[in-house]
Amino acid sequence: MKNRDKYLLGIAGAAVAGIAIGLLFYTDEGKKTRKKMKNTANDWADSLGSLIASGKESLSDLSHKAAEKAKKGYKRFKGQTRDSYDELKGEYNDLADEYANK
């Protein structure tokens, strides 16, 4: 983009912003528009607050479910490890007895 185009775009943007500010602050319709904008912003803020609260609740539920699954997986792994240990210990004892009897 050429410098000339950038300047023209900047001037056009400033003009549009000036017109918008003029309409909002210097006319009776501007008062109504500002009130509508304020009400809309408040509605959006309320909606966003509800959405965030819902997201927090969902995240909390998800984290509790993940923690429960992790605990179950740990218990299953611990049980399997214990079973494998007991099996190896039994085999070791059998071999030790067999070696001691020779």
Side-chain angles (χ1 to χ4, degrees):
M1 184 180 268
K2 295 181 182 178
N3 282 340
R4 181 188 61 152
D5 294 338
K6 290 179 184 179
Y7 291 128
L8 290 176
L9 187 60
I11 291 170
V16 168
I19 291 169
I21 290 170
L23 289 173
L24 288 174
F25 290 104
Y26 295 111
T27 65
D28 288 334
E29 289 296 319
K31 289 180 183 178
K32 291 178 185 176
T33 303
R34 285 193 307 273
K35 188 173 184 176
K36 285 181 184 178
M37 289 173 63
K38 181 180 176 185
N39 290 339
T40 300
N42 287 336
D43 291 344
W44 285 2
D46 291 342
S47 295
L48 183 60
S50 297
L51 183 63
I52 289 172
S54 175
K56 283 182 180 179
E57 187 176 324
S58 296
L59 183 60
S60 177
D61 290 344
L62 184 61
S63 68
H64 287 302
K65 287 178 183 177
E68 287 300 317
K69 284 190 176 188
K71 286 178 186 177
K72 286 179 184 178
Y74 172 75
K75 287 179 182 178
R76 186 177 67 234
F77 176 74
K78 185 177 177 183
Q80 290 172 347
T81 304
R82 175 58 69 186
D83 292 344
S84 296
Y85 172 78
D86 290 342
E87 185 178 332
L88 285 172
K89 186 176 179 183
E91 289 178 16
Y92 171 80
N93 288 336
D94 290 346
L95 287 173
D97 290 344
E98 188 177 313
Y99 181 74
N101 290 334
K102 286 187 176 183

